[in-house]
Amino acid sequence: MDLQIATPKISGFYAATKTEVAGGSAIYAIAQCVETATEANCLTCLQIGYNNLQSCLPSAEGRAYDAGCFMRYSTTPFFADNQTIDITPFFKQGGSSKKWAIIIGGVVGGVVALLALFAWRWSRKSKGVPRGDILGATELKGPVNYKYNDLKTATKNFSTEYKLGEGGFGAVYKGTLKNGKVVAVKKLVMGKSSKMEDDFEGEVKLISNVHHRNLVRLLGCCIKGRERILVYEYMANSSLDKFIFGSRRGSLNWKQRYHIILGTARGLAYLHEEFHVSIIHRDIKTANILLDDDLQPKIADFGLARLLPGDRSHLSTKFAGTLGYTAPEYAMHGQLSEKADTYSYGIVVLEIISGQKSTDVKNDEVDEYLLRRSWKLHERGLHLELVDKAIDPNEYDVEEVKKIIEIALLCTQASAATRPTMSEVVSLLKSKSLLEHLRPSMPVFVETNIAPRESDTSSSNATTSISVVSAR
């Protein structure tokens, strides 16, 4: 009830509280609105959410979500105590001291909001105006529908000169729209399945309403025949792999690397636990982490795996490099959960710290891949030998680096159940204490052997052997 009132007044439209109750227990609660909403729209949405939560009682867990907001309470903690904020300054009349006035106001406000909502829906329906939101409950706009010819002109007919890269989901081009805005234009790869065509618009509406400072913003889309095109905000500094392994290798200092590690964790935590639909990325790697002008990380391609046709897979031989990041239970058995992203994140963290690719062999004699090398150094207490030599030793705290390496190893444990959630990872990264109470168990990694068929030596006819190898 308090969050419903305070959250619209807080910058970023997000708040989390822990409320002590009789008997020594506590109620944990969060509320959030999308950042594109106005304060009034946020309040209206949360009033509806608050009223919907009443149907969850007396359950000890409740969630209510709308296209523009999300609320959750639980008697079990689902975020760390140090993530709470004091919301009392945002009450005009002293917080919840006037409890009954707030309850009555909330109920009346919710009824008024519902009546206004029904009236708005009816007026929209009677006028034949299409809905612009996901679930039809708020006035949030859907993605922009771009004209094919405008995107064609913006990218000089999808010229190779403007090509930024290519991956499992298709090629990406730099484009300049008529109004001068620079965007990234992704032409999706279409399979034979019609599923992508059927689900495309609904999924794009969902993805376009995901707003977080560590996630690349989807601006809109274009449908032209069988072609499906997505338009994203443009990231001038390209992808993280360029800074870790590529042309700009060694240019990131420790502070910048730490902020990238933390920001990426925050983006994944939002996808997994804070957006009203849990989104598993499935393909976290340095190439899918883009950097803005301030070198802040933004995760790209989230939600696209839901659009991938059934006859294609980013685990095929064409994209075998991704297997260096893939959780063993997902690669071997197709068992998918948020913990698959956690594993991939752990690999990315080790790459950021070491400057070594996950699939590169450091020692030719023993096939010492990055994860195996990291684990052996951890067992021997030689964590610092993993640190990229391009990082100035005077820039970082030794214990902090050791802690982050151990967090990465917690994320890559063989058992998915023992890996932390991404919100727990964020808490661990922000905590000043060491991980004396947490000891990572030995990880495993996915190894691939790609060999051409005897009849043809082309890469397109290569066969792939996938195996899971322990870190010993």
Side-chain angles (χ1 to χ4, degrees), residues 47-48 51 105-118:
Q47 284 173 335
I48 296 171
N51 289 321
V107 173
V108 173
V111 172
V112 172
L114 282 170
L115 290 173
L117 176 63
F118 290 139

Side-chain angles (χ1 to χ4, degrees), residues 247-296:
S247 57
R248 303 183 69 175
R249 180 174 184 172
S251 60
L252 294 175
N253 60 37
W254 171 249
K255 185 177 181 181
Q256 290 167 331
R257 296 188 196 217
Y258 171 77
H259 285 305
I260 290 169
I261 289 169
L262 178 59
T264 303
R266 282 172 165 160
L268 282 173
Y270 182 85
L271 288 176
H272 292 175
E273 303 170 49
E274 297 174 38
F275 189 56
H276 68 264
V277 176
S278 178
I279 296 178
I280 303 173
H281 192 292
R282 309 189 197 191
D283 200 17
I284 290 295
K285 55 186 177 182
T286 52
N288 277 337
I289 299 171
L290 307 186
L291 302 178
D292 66 12
D293 293 340
D294 298 320
L295 297 177
Q296 292 301 307

Side-chain angles (χ1 to χ4, degrees), residues 170-467:
V172 185
Y173 301 85
K174 180 180 179 180
T176 305
L177 302 176
K178 291 178 179 178
N179 61 6
K181 184 178 180 65
V182 180
V183 294
V185 181
K186 182 185 288 287
K187 293 185 73 174
L188 295 180
V189 176
M190 291 293 293
K192 297 178 182 179
S193 170
S194 61
K195 180 181 184 298
M196 187 173 180
E197 297 180 31
D198 297 338
D199 297 348
F200 183 78
E201 290 187 74
E203 294 294 345
V204 168
K205 282 185 178 180
L206 177 70
I207 299 169
S208 67
N209 276 276
V210 179
H211 303 302
H212 190 275
R213 61 182 174 178
N214 297 119
L215 300 173
V216 175
R217 178 84 182 275
L218 175 63
L219 303 176
C221 63
C222 173
I223 300 175
K224 174 74 171 179
R226 287 185 57 80
E227 288 207 72
R228 299 293 183 272
I229 301 174
L230 299 176
V231 181
Y232 291 93
E233 59 178 328
Y234 175 71
M235 295 289 109
N237 276 314
S238 188
S239 53
L240 177 60
D241 59 336
K242 304 292 192 303
F243 287 81
I244 304 298
F245 321 116
S247 57
R248 303 183 69 175
R249 180 174 184 172
S251 60
L252 294 175
N253 60 37
W254 171 249
K255 185 177 181 181
Q256 290 167 331
R257 296 188 196 217
Y258 171 77
H259 285 305
I260 290 169
I261 289 169
L262 178 59
T264 303
R266 282 172 165 160
L268 282 173
Y270 182 85
L271 288 176
H272 292 175
E273 303 170 49
E274 297 174 38
F275 189 56
H276 68 264
V277 176
S278 178
I279 296 178
I280 303 173
H281 192 292
R282 309 189 197 191
D283 200 17
I284 290 295
K285 55 186 177 182
T286 52
N288 277 337
I289 299 171
L290 307 186
L291 302 178
D292 66 12
D293 293 340
D294 298 320
L295 297 177
Q296 292 301 307
K298 289 178 178 279
I299 301 171
D301 282 358
F302 59 88
L304 292 193
R306 297 160 61 101
L307 290 171
L308 199 66
D311 56 354
R312 294 188 61 86
S313 170
H314 62 287
L315 296 180
S316 66
T317 56
K318 183 176 180 181
F319 314 112
T322 303
L323 284 170
Y325 302 89
T326 306
E329 74 276 6
Y330 182 35
M332 298 296 292
H333 308 295
Q335 297 172 353
L336 180 64
S337 71
E338 290 89 347
K339 297 299 183 69
D341 281 351
T342 302
Y343 180 97
S344 304
Y345 170 81
I347 298 293
V348 167
V349 172
L350 294 176
E351 289 186 328
I352 292 172
I353 292 174
S354 67
Q356 177 187 341
K357 284 186 179 180
S358 62
T359 51
D360 281 354
V361 177
K362 197 73 173 178
N363 186 332
D364 293 335
E365 295 180 4
V366 293
D367 286 346
E368 200 165 64
Y369 292 97
L370 174 60
L371 185 53
R372 174 178 285 174
R373 177 174 170 239
S374 302
W375 176 255
K376 286 184 175 180
L377 291 173
H378 160 72
E379 283 191 310
R380 294 161 58 194
L382 300 175
H383 301 70
L384 296 185
E385 288 192 17
L386 188 69
V387 179
D388 190 344
K389 297 298 185 289
I391 304 175
D392 184 347
N394 297 316
E395 290 182 349
Y396 57 81
D397 177 77
V398 170
E399 293 303 320
E400 180 184 50
V401 172
K402 288 173 64 176
K403 186 181 86 166
I404 294 176
I405 291 173
E406 290 181 357
I407 291 172
L409 291 173
L410 285 172
C411 292
T412 55
Q413 295 177 103
S415 170
T418 60
R419 298 172 204 153
T421 63
M422 289 311 303
S423 60
E424 289 170 339
V425 170
V426 172
S427 295
L428 290 172
L429 289 170
K430 294 173 66 178
S431 171
K432 298 299 182 183
S433 60
L434 301 179
L435 302 182
E436 296 176 354
H437 62 296
L438 294 173
R439 295 294 178 196
S441 58
M442 186 175 67
V444 294
F445 65 94
V446 180
E447 184 181 71
T448 62
N449 295 306
I450 303 175
R453 297 175 184 172
E454 295 180 2
S455 58
D456 195 330
T457 58
S458 67
S459 60
S460 60
N461 284 324
T463 58
T464 305
S465 171
I466 304 176
S467 58

Side-chain angles (χ1 to χ4, degrees), residues 32-52:
Q32 182 172 29
C33 294
V34 294
E35 294 182 7
T36 52
T38 64
E39 181 178 330
N41 283 342
C42 179
L43 177 61
T44 299
C45 192
L46 290 177
Q47 284 173 335
I48 296 171
Y50 170 75
N51 289 321
N52 289 339

